[in-house]
Amino acid sequence: MTKVNKVVLAYSGGLDTSVIVRWLQDHYNCEVVTFTADIGQGEEVEPARAKAEALGVKEIYIEDLREEFVRDYVYPMFRANTIYEGEYLLGTSIARPLIAKRLVDIATETGADAISHGATGKGNDQVRFELGAYALKPGIQVIAPWREWDLSSRESLMAYCRERDIPVDFAAAGKKSPYSMDANLLHISYEGGILEDPWAEAEESMWRWSVSPEEAPDTATYIELEFRGGDIVAIDGEAMSPATVLAELNRVGGANGVGRLDIVENRYVGMKSRGCYETPGGTIMLKAHRAIESLTLDREVAHLKDELMPRYANLIYNGYWWSPERQMLQAAIDQSQAVVNGTVRLKLYKGSVSAVGRSSDDSLFDEGIATFEDDAGAYDQADAEGFIKLNALRLRIAAGRGRSAR
Amino acid sequence: MTKVNKVVLAYSGGLDTSVIVRWLQDHYNCEVVTFTADIGQGEEVEPARAKAEALGVKEIYIEDLREEFVRDYVYPMFRANTIYEGEYLLGTSIARPLIAKRLVDIATETGADAISHGATGKGNDQVRFELGAYALKPGIQVIAPWREWDLSSRESLMAYCRERDIPVDFAAAGKKSPYSMDANLLHISYEGGILEDPWAEAEESMWRWSVSPEEAPDTATYIELEFRGGDIVAIDGEAMSPATVLAELNRVGGANGVGRLDIVENRYVGMKSRGCYETPGGTIMLKAHRAIESLTLDREVAHLKDELMPRYANLIYNGYWWSPERQMLQAAIDQSQAVVNGTVRLKLYKGSVSAVGRSSDDSLFDEGIATFEDDAGAYDQADAEGFIKLNALRLRIAAGRGRSAR
Amino acid sequence: MTKVNKVVLAYSGGLDTSVIVRWLQDHYNCEVVTFTADIGQGEEVEPARAKAEALGVKEIYIEDLREEFVRDYVYPMFRANTIYEGEYLLGTSIARPLIAKRLVDIATETGADAISHGATGKGNDQVRFELGAYALKPGIQVIAPWREWDLSSRESLMAYCRERDIPVDFAAAGKKSPYSMDANLLHISYEGGILEDPWAEAEESMWRWSVSPEEAPDTATYIELEFRGGDIVAIDGEAMSPATVLAELNRVGGANGVGRLDIVENRYVGMKSRGCYETPGGTIMLKAHRAIESLTLDREVAHLKDELMPRYANLIYNGYWWSPERQMLQAAIDQSQAVVNGTVRLKLYKGSVSAVGRSSDDSLFDEGIATFEDDAGAYDQADAEGFIKLNALRLRIAAGRGRSAR
Amino acid sequence: MTKVNKVVLAYSGGLDTSVIVRWLQDHYNCEVVTFTADIGQGEEVEPARAKAEALGVKEIYIEDLREEFVRDYVYPMFRANTIYEGEYLLGTSIARPLIAKRLVDIATETGADAISHGATGKGNDQVRFELGAYALKPGIQVIAPWREWDLSSRESLMAYCRERDIPVDFAAAGKKSPYSMDANLLHISYEGGILEDPWAEAEESMWRWSVSPEEAPDTATYIELEFRGGDIVAIDGEAMSPATVLAELNRVGGANGVGRLDIVENRYVGMKSRGCYETPGGTIMLKAHRAIESLTLDREVAHLKDELMPRYANLIYNGYWWSPERQMLQAAIDQSQAVVNGTVRLKLYKGSVSAVGRSSDDSLFDEGIATFEDDAGAYDQADAEGFIKLNALRLRIAAGRGRSAR
C-alpha cells in the first residue's frame, strides 16, 4: 500500500462517501479534504459541510459549478450532436471531467498527494475520474475504495458506520432507492434493481424529473430557442445563461414528459448494462441544434460532423475528455459553429419533441433555387445531365466489363 | 437529339407521366412501354392499364413489387440503422433502385434502347434513377423530359393534354394537393407549397397516413417484434412476410401518431430543401432494431456500424445503391447480423416509440457480471486499476512533459 | 452563348493558351487579361509579357507566387501526411486553388466578368479551377475553351495560329514532348504518350528533374531537417523560407534519384488514368514529417490524423480546397501540429529515403519506460494483466456463449 | 495464486522459455506441454524436442505452420494494404493470433487449464497472445511469467539455469544479440540496445535478412507477380504456394536491399518504442497489391478501403484479430477482392521497389476514354460543365451569402 499524506475526496455527504472519509482516515492514516460540487443534481450541497466537519475534516470545499458545467462541457458536447450508441446523451459522462479537474486542482492547492472517489470497479465513472486526474496531474495517486475494501453491500457499510460512530441518517439510508442513481443539470440516471432484467419495463414510480407522457398536458407547448455560435442563448426571446437555459428546458421538457430513455449500453470496461435516463433539456437541445444546423451548415460539413460524432461520443463516454484527440476533434467541431445562428421553433407534446420551424440570417436555404415553381433561371436543370453522366462514368465502365453491382 | 426507337417509362397513370407518354411519342417518334409498380403507395395500379392503352401503348407492365421492395431493399437498409442527416429514414431513396432495375430489365426484355422517368432536374430522384440505370445497363439512353421540355407548370401540362387529346381527369388534376408527394410502403413525403418557408409549420391537413399525436388513443399500445438475422419476422408472435410486417407497423404506428418528421435536408444536387415525411413503420423498426442490437451485438461491431452508417446513408440518398462500394459496406453490415435475433417490446403512445423490453437467446448481456449485487467473483474489480493505468499512460507521459490537454 | 466583356486567362505563354487568347477575343468579342504565375515550374515567366502584348493584351499580370504557394498550400497539406490513393503526393492538385484565387481576385481588380483556363474537359484541373472560382466569386463566368471549341488536336491549333497570325514558335511547338506535363515547385507530372498503356514502363528519357537511381551517387547523402509547428524551417541547420526549403530538397532529392512515381489513379470525372510524377522534395518532406510526428504526437492524435487523411486528400484532389469541409479538417490538423517540433536525420541513396534519427524537445518517447533494461519502477508490469483482462471481457463473454470469432 | 494442473507453453527452445518451463514446473507445480512452431523464423524447430525432453516435458508439439500462416493471416491482411502508423507492415502482430489459436487448441487437446508465453509485461505481444486466447477459449488461465517473477535480467536467468540444472548453451546465451528480435516469414524485428536512442542510426551489422542498398547489385532486378482474388499466386509465371511466394520474395527483396525500416511506434500499452524491421517480401507485396488494385478496383471501393485501413491495422496491431469487428471489416475487404486479378511488373533496385507495369483482364482502365487523343465520342466533354456546376452549387450559394471559405 502506497503511503499517502493527504487525499481529496469527491464527497456527496451520503452514506457511501461518508464511510469512505472514515475508511481513508483509518486505512491510509491520512488527512482527508472533501470536495462537494453543485452541478445541478437537485440536492443541497451546503449540508455536506456539517457532515464533513463531524467526520473531522478540516479542509472542506463546497462549490457551485453549474454555469461552468453547462458552458464548458455540456454546450461544447452538444455542438457535435453527440449521442452514444444512437441513444444516450452522455449525461453522466460529461460531468466527470469537471469533477476530475477540480479534484486535482484542489489537490494542488491543498498539497494533497492523492484523490479518491466513490465509484465502483465495474463502471465507467472510475475510468473517467482517473483518466482525467492522470491527464491533468500525472503524479497524482488515486484511491478507489470500492476496488480495495471488503465492504461489498449496503449492510456492511451500515455496520461499518455503527462500528466507527459515523453520523449517518440510518432511517434515510435504509429507505434508499432500489436504483443506483446519478444526477446533474443534464440528466438523472437509473441502474440496478429490476432494471437488471432487460425485459422488465421500468416502473413509473422510478422516474423523478418528468411526468409520464400520459400525465403530460393535453395541449402542446411551443418554445423558441435562439442559437449563437451553436449554443442556445435565449428561450422565447429571453436571454439566459447556459445553466439557466438548461434548467428551464428541463422544467418545460419534464412537464411535457420529454426525455425518458431506456437502453442497454456497452460499458468501456467490457460489459453491457441496462440504464434508464431522464434528459428533458438535453433531448430538446439536440433536436433544436440539429434543426438550426440543417439550415445553416454546409452539407459536407454536416456530413463530416455526422461521421466524426460516434468517435467523439466514444471519447467522452470512455473518459477521454482531457485528451489531445478530443481537443483535436473539438477544434474541428467548434470551427464549424460560427455560422450556427438563428431560431428554432419546437413543439413539445406528451413525450415528443418536434422541430416545426427554423429561421436564420445565416441560412443557406435558397427558396429561389429550391422552389417547385419557376425559378427564373437560378438553377439550370440541364446541368443535372452532365452531373449524373460523370458520376455514372465509373459505374458504366465497370458495367461495360460485366461488373454490374447486382 | 439522339435517335430512340423504344423507351420504357416509369408510369404512374397520373397527369405528368401521361403527358410524358405522348411527348415521347411525338418528340422522339418512338414507341413507349409503360411500367407501373405497386410498391405500397396506396393507390390502385391496375387503372394505369386502361390509361396507357388509351395513349396507344402496346407493351404495358404492371407489377406488384411490395415483397421484393421490403425484403431486398428496406430490410437490408434497416440492418444498418440507416438515417440521413440524423433524421431522415430514406423512404424515397430506397425505392428508386428497384424501379431503376425494373426499367432496364424491361428495356432488355422489350428491346428498348431508352428509359424515361418523370423526375425533375432539381431533385435527387433523377440521379437515383439514372445512376441505377447506367450501373445496370451501361449503354442505355435516358430521357428526362423535365430537363428537356418547356412545360414548366401544371397549367402548361393541362394545356398540352387538351391540345393532344390526352385523356386526363381534369377535375382531379385541378384539385391536386399543393404538395409534391411520393409514397411507398416505407413512407409518404411532402415538399413544396407552404413548406418552402422553413419557418412555417406544416398544416395538420397535410398528413395522410398518421393521426396527429393529439388525436391518437389516450392509452399506450404495446407490441412485440421478433427478429431473425436483423430482420423482423413476426409481430406479437405472428409470423409475417416482410411487406406484411411493414404494412402492419404502418397501421399501428399511424394509429398512434408515430413517425411524422419535418426537416430541412441537403440534396445531392447542391441545394437545401424542406421536406415532411410520415414513416410510421420505419420509425418503429429503427427503434426496435437498435434495441435488439443493443443486447446481441458486440460493442466494437456496434460502434463500427455507427461510424459507417452515415456513409452508407449517403450512398443510398445519393443514388449509389447499385455501386460496388454499397455492396462492400453491405457485406460488412450483413456479416454482423447473424446474431441479431430476439424479441423487442415497444410502447407506442401519441407520437412516441419507446423500447421497454428486449430479450434474446443470443444476448451478450451478462446479469451475473453487470449486477450491483455480489457477482461471486465473475468480475475482478482489481483488474480495473491496470486497465485505467495503461490507458492513462500516454496521457501521463504527455502531462509529465507539460502537455496536459487543458 | 453568354455575353462576356472581359475575361482573365491563366496564361502560360505557350501555344495552347496563346490560341485561347485569340479565340476568346474572336469568339466572345471580349477583352482578355492574362495572368502568368511563377509557382516554380522552372520556366521564365517574364517572356509571357511580350507574347501577350503581341496578342493585343492590355492588362498583363505576371507574379512570383512561389513563397505563397509553399507556405499557404504545400505546407498545410503536408501537415496531414497527405497522399492520394496511397501513392500520389498531389503536386498538381495543390497548385490549382492558388491559381483559381488569383484569377478571381484579378477579375475583381480589373472588373472582368469571366475567367478562362486551358484545361481539358476530361481532367481534374478544370474541376479544381472552376470549383475554386465559384467558391470565391460565385457570380463569375467560366470559359473553358477545350470544352467548347472544335480544335481537338495540335495540328488544328497550329493551323488556327497560322490563320490568325498568332506569333508562335512553330519549330518548338512541333518538337513538343509526347507527354502532357505539368510542373510547379512540388512536382512535375507526365501523362499521355506511351504511358496510356499501363503495362509500358516509362522511358528513362522522360524524367526531367531527377537522375535515375542507377546514375545517382554511390554514396549516401545525409541531411537534417528542422521542424517548427509541423513545417520545415531549416536544412542542415540553415534557416530557410518555405520555397527555398522545397527548392533545396528538390535539388538534393533529384540528385539522389528520389521521388519518381508511376501509378494508375482515379480521376474525379470518373476514369482511370496513368501518370508519372517526380516529387523529390515532397517525398523527403513526407518521410521526415512522419518521423518527427512519430516522436512528438500522441498516439490517438496520430491515428485520428491517419483516418482523416484519405478524406482530406480526396478533397484536395477533387478541387475542394476552398470548401468549408476542408477548412474544418484543416482546423483539426493544424491544432495537432503545435508540438511537432524537432529534427529528423535522413539518408538519401539511389532513389530511397530513410529516416535514421529523430530528436525533439517535445518528444513523448520515454526511454526510462520503454527500455528493455530495468526501468526502476517507472512502469508496473502487473498493470498489464488488468488491462488485458478488461479489454478481453467482451470477447470472453461472447466466447462463453459460443460466439468465438473463428 | 491460481491452481493450475497443466499448462501449454509457447516454447522456442531458447534460454528464456527454457527457464519458463522449469519455473512453471516449480512455481505452479504443474505439468508443462511445449508448443514450438515453424512460422518461418529461419531456425530449426526440431532441436526444441530434445531440449523439452531434457526438461522433463512429456507432451511436445512441434509444427510447421508456414503455409497456414501466410495463407490465413498474411494474405488476408495484405488484401487491405495494411500499414500501421504509415510505415509498419505488422510482421510481429500478424503471427500472434496463429500462435494463440494453436496454444488454446492444444490446451483443449491435452486437457490443459492454462497457457503461458514468454512475452514481457511492457509489450504488445502479451496483449496479442492473451486477447486471442481469451477470445477463443474464454475459461483459459494465462500465465505470463515476466509479469510475475523476479528474474529481471539475463544474468538472473542464467543464474536460475545453473541453480536448477537447466541445460542451456551458456556460451551461445552469453553472446546473444544486443537486440530483442522476433522473426517469421513476414519479417524480422529489432528493438532495444542502441535503438533505445531514437537519434542513433542502426548499425549495418544489425540487419540480418537483407544486404545494404549499397551492397545490392548495380543493375535492377525485374519480377512479375500474378494475382488472383487479391493474393499472389505466381512469380514470373511460376505458380507457388503462399509460403513459397513469400519466401521467394524475401530472397529477391533481401538480395536487392529492399524492406528495411526504422521507426518510432506507439504501443497499445501506452508507450512509444523504437523498432527496426526487415520485411523484404512484404514491402514488395504491398507495392504490387496497390498496383494491381489501381487497375482493377472501383474508385470508391479503393477509397473506402483506404479509409478503413488504419482502423483495421490498429485491430491487428492491438491484438484483436480474433474479434468480431475484425471479421466484419474482413468481410468488406474480402468482398472487394474478387476482381483483383492480373499481373504487376516491378523493378527492384538498391533498396527501392517500383511498379513499372500492370495488366489485367479485369482492368477498369479505359484507354479509349482516358486518351489525350481523339476519343471518338466515348466521353462528352460538355458533361463536365454540369458536373462542376452542380458540385459547386452549395459553395456558390454560401459564397453568395458572404461565406467564401477563404
Side-chain angles (χ1 to χ4, degrees), chain C residues 358-372:
Chain C
R358 60 297 272 169
S359 74
S360 172
D361 291 342
D362 291 284
S363 171
L364 295 176
F365 182 89
D366 188 321
E367 217 171 317
I369 285 177
T371 184
F372 281 81

Side-chain angles (χ1 to χ4, degrees), chain B residues 65-387:
Chain B
L65 301 178
R66 286 175 297 174
E67 288 295 346
E68 183 178 355
F69 173 49
V70 182
R71 184 188 65 227
D72 296 344
Y73 300 80
V74 174
Y75 269 21
M77 181 173 78
F78 273 80
R79 286 175 211 144
N81 302 317
T82 318
I83 320 177
Y84 181 68
E85 299 189 338
E87 303 269 13
Y88 173 41
L89 291 171
L90 294 167
T92 301
S93 325
I94 192 61
R96 300 319 192 189
L98 170 56
I99 304 299
K101 173 169 157 285
R102 286 304 298 143
L103 284 173
V104 298
D105 285 352
I106 293 170
T108 300
E109 287 166 40
T110 59
D113 43 7
I115 62 159
S116 182
H117 60 75
T120 80
K122 280 186 175 181
N124 296 304
D125 286 332
Q126 57 175 342
V127 189
R128 295 164 186 155
F129 283 132
E130 298 176 30
L131 289 180
Y134 289 138
L136 296 174
K137 196 173 167 74
I140 197 76
Q141 299 280 336
V142 177
I143 304 175
W146 284 99
R147 298 201 304 253
E148 289 191 32
W149 68 23
D150 52 0
L151 303 169
S152 59
S153 69
R154 177 147 290 264
E155 286 66 38
S156 53
L157 286 178
M158 289 201 280
Y160 188 91
C161 289
R162 289 199 181 86
E163 205 175 285
R164 312 279 171 131
D165 283 328
I166 302 173
V168 162
D169 178 347
F170 288 101
K175 285 183 304 189
K176 211 207 158 200
S177 157
Y179 304 105
S180 170
M181 293 190 289
D182 176 68
N184 60 49
L185 248 182
L186 183 52
H187 87 162
I188 181 165
S189 68
Y190 309 88
E191 294 182 298
I194 64 159
L195 299 179
E196 293 190 1
D197 173 6
W199 182 254
E201 185 172 359
E203 304 160 306
E204 180 54 38
S205 61
M206 178 189 78
W207 307 98
R208 304 213 165 183
W209 282 12
S210 59
V211 303
S212 76
E214 284 85 345
E215 288 166 23
D218 288 331
T219 53
T221 300
Y222 284 83
I223 53 171
E224 292 184 16
L225 303 183
E226 187 184 336
F227 285 85
R228 297 306 301 170
D231 299 333
I232 301 173
V233 295
I235 301 180
D236 288 333
E238 189 180 344
M240 294 181 192
S241 73
T244 317
V245 162
L246 188 46
E248 171 60 12
L249 294 179
N250 280 335
R251 192 198 58 74
V252 67
N256 284 284
V258 166
R260 292 182 175 188
L261 180 66
D262 173 346
I263 58 169
V264 173
E265 75 196 52
N266 291 291
R267 287 196 193 146
Y268 190 27
V269 293
M271 69 186 71
K272 288 182 183 291
S273 76
R274 166 83 170 285
C276 289
Y277 301 97
E278 277 175 292
T279 323
T283 303
I284 296 170
M285 283 168 63
L286 175 64
K287 191 75 177 183
H289 189 261
R290 276 215 171 267
I292 193 65
E293 283 196 340
S294 77
L295 206 59
T296 57
L297 274 195
D298 171 80
R299 179 185 72 201
E300 294 302 309
V301 166
H303 292 191
L304 178 54
K305 288 187 70 218
D306 281 351
E307 292 192 45
L308 295 176
M309 186 275 284
R311 182 169 195 138
Y312 177 83
N314 280 1
L315 290 178
I316 295 176
Y317 186 86
N318 290 346
Y320 291 96
W321 180 267
W322 298 114
S323 72
E325 65 271 24
R326 203 276 308 171
Q327 289 191 306
M328 183 179 164
L329 283 174
Q330 195 75 52
I333 293 159
D334 289 355
Q335 199 275 349
S336 72
Q337 297 292 295
V339 296
V340 182
N341 306 311
T343 303
V344 175
R345 188 161 172 262
L346 297 159
K347 176 187 174 186
L348 314 181
Y349 179 68
K350 284 187 178 286
S352 62
V353 192
S354 318
V356 296
R358 59 298 270 167
S359 74
S360 172
D361 291 342
D362 290 285
S363 172
L364 295 176
F365 182 88
D366 188 322
E367 217 170 316
I369 286 178
T371 184
F372 280 83
E373 313 301 318
D374 195 325
D375 66 6
Y379 176 97
D380 183 354
Q381 301 208 14
D383 288 338
E385 184 180 334
F387 178 74

Side-chain angles (χ1 to χ4, degrees), chain C residues 194-195 197-203 262 274, chain D residues 222 345 347 356-357:
Chain C
I194 63 159
L195 300 179
D197 173 6
W199 182 255
E201 184 171 359
E203 305 160 305
D262 174 346
R274 166 84 171 285
Chain D
Y222 285 83
R345 188 160 172 264
K347 176 187 174 186
V356 297

Side-chain angles (χ1 to χ4, degrees), chain C residues 32-190:
Chain C
V32 175
V33 179
T34 59
F35 163 60
T36 309
D38 183 353
I39 49 169
Q41 63 269 51
E43 283 171 14
E44 294 293 316
V45 289
E46 199 48 46
R49 187 180 307 276
K51 293 180 182 175
E53 281 170 352
L55 285 157
V57 174
K58 288 177 199 135
E59 292 172 288
I60 297 170
Y61 283 76
I62 294 181
E63 301 178 355
D64 181 350
L65 300 178
R66 288 175 296 173
E67 287 295 346
E68 184 179 354
F69 173 50
V70 182
R71 184 188 65 226
D72 295 344
Y73 300 80
V74 174
Y75 269 20
M77 181 173 79
F78 272 81
R79 286 175 210 144
N81 303 317
T82 316
I83 321 177
Y84 182 67
E85 299 188 339
E87 303 269 15
Y88 173 41
L89 291 170
L90 294 167
T92 301
S93 324
I94 192 60
R96 301 316 193 190
L98 171 54
I99 304 299
K101 174 168 156 286
R102 286 304 298 143
L103 284 173
V104 299
D105 285 351
I106 293 170
T108 301
E109 288 167 38
T110 59
D113 42 9
I115 63 160
S116 182
H117 61 76
T120 80
K122 282 187 175 180
N124 296 304
D125 287 333
Q126 58 175 344
V127 189
R128 296 165 186 155
F129 282 134
E130 297 177 31
L131 288 180
Y134 290 136
L136 297 173
K137 196 175 168 75
I140 197 76
Q141 299 280 338
V142 177
I143 303 173
W146 285 98
R147 298 201 303 253
E148 289 191 31
W149 67 26
D150 51 2
L151 304 168
S152 59
S153 68
R154 177 147 292 264
E155 287 65 37
S156 55
L157 286 179
M158 289 202 280
Y160 188 92
C161 288
R162 288 199 182 85
E163 205 176 285
R164 312 278 170 132
D165 283 330
I166 302 172
V168 162
D169 179 347
F170 288 100
K175 285 184 305 190
K176 211 206 158 201
S177 158
Y179 304 105
S180 170
M181 293 190 288
D182 176 68
N184 59 50
L185 208 40
L186 182 52
H187 88 162
I188 182 166
S189 68
Y190 310 87

